[in-house]
Amino acid sequence: MIIGVGIDVAEIDRFDDALRRTPGMADRLFVERELWLPSGERRGMASLAARFAAKEALAKSLGAPGGLRWTDAEILTEPSGRPRLSIRGTVAVCAERLGVRGLHVSLSHDAGVASAVVIAEG
């Protein structure tokens, strides 16, 4: 059963500008592992914007409750390249309360825009 669906888009240049203007913003939005590629290189801005959109989409799929911490949701990359959501803390409590048993995420970026869709399944 689908409990919720969330979608979000982020303009990549605008997101980049916001990170540059606001020191520490990346640390409030992402856990350390999200900022780096498996190769050890810094993750590109399009990829970070897509991950931010995924966190927004996740919140929407849960009904957009207040009090969720950005770093309580992490977008991991499986060896195949497929994105996967890992939740803990405030996000896990909210998901459990709603009866969420699984989360599905899809990320994309093209033409200066990053997007994400999250499906919360019960």
Side-chain angles (χ1 to χ4, degrees):
M1 173 176 78
I2 294 177
I3 292 174
V5 176
I7 186 169
D8 196 69
V9 298
E11 186 180 342
I12 297 166
D13 287 343
R14 185 172 172 211
F15 185 72
D16 185 26
D17 289 345
L19 288 181
R20 290 178 194 277
R21 271 194 325 270
T22 311
M25 183 177 178
D27 293 332
R28 290 193 304 274
L29 296 176
F30 304 108
V31 298
E32 184 71 20
R33 195 166 30 187
E34 289 175 298
L35 298 172
W36 302 93
L37 294 167
S39 66
E41 294 177 69
R42 179 101 169 155
R43 192 174 292 282
M45 196 52 58
S47 180
L48 287 177
R51 280 159 171 70
F52 174 71
K55 292 178 185 214
E56 286 277 1
L58 171 60
K60 291 173 183 178
S61 77
L62 299 175
L68 300 181
R69 291 187 59 213
W70 295 109
T71 55
D72 283 346
E74 180 178 356
I75 293 79
L76 303 169
T77 305
E78 294 180 354
S80 66
R82 179 180 178 182
R84 180 173 57 86
L85 274 163
S86 174
I87 61 172
R88 60 189 153 271
T90 59
V91 178
V93 168
C94 179
E96 185 177 333
R97 195 175 317 131
L98 293 170
V100 174
R101 293 187 188 162
L103 293 164
H104 307 275
V105 61
S106 181
L107 310 175
S108 187
H109 47 80
D110 188 32
V113 176
S115 61
V117 174
V118 173
I119 297 171
E121 183 180 20

